[in-house]
Amino acid sequence: MAKRFNTHNRFAEELDSAPSGLEELTFYRRLEEHERRAAGWRRNLSVAALAIVAVVVAIFIAR
């Protein structure tokens, strides 16, 4: 009977070593991800705006 009590929790060590998904659920983690994506969108839109301005200037000069 003592053997039964010794092995009832044999998988607990494996569960403790597994990476936790709680960090991904935190507010600050989501906020950082949102800010990183927003910065990427701003960068992409500014590059697109500069390209449009360059095309407009090239068309204006070509006339």
Side-chain angles (χ1 to χ4, degrees), residues 2-53:
K3 185 177 180 183
R4 179 177 170 205
F5 290 120
N6 283 339
T7 61
H8 80 282
N9 202 12
R10 62 182 174 191
F11 299 110
E13 293 175 13
E14 294 176 16
L15 292 176
D16 289 341
S17 65
S20 174
L22 293 177
E23 181 182 347
E24 306 236 345
L25 300 174
T26 62
F27 172 74
Y28 294 110
R29 174 77 175 187
R30 288 184 282 148
L31 184 61
E32 289 174 357
E33 184 69 20
H34 176 72
E35 290 174 356
R36 188 181 64 81
R37 288 183 181 172
W41 274 103
R42 281 192 300 268
R43 182 189 65 237
N44 292 342
L45 289 176
S46 64
V47 168
L50 287 175
I52 291 171
V53 168

Side-chain angles (χ1 to χ4, degrees), residues 53-63:
V53 168
V55 168
V56 169
V57 168
I59 291 172
F60 182 73
I61 291 173
R63 285 187 181 188

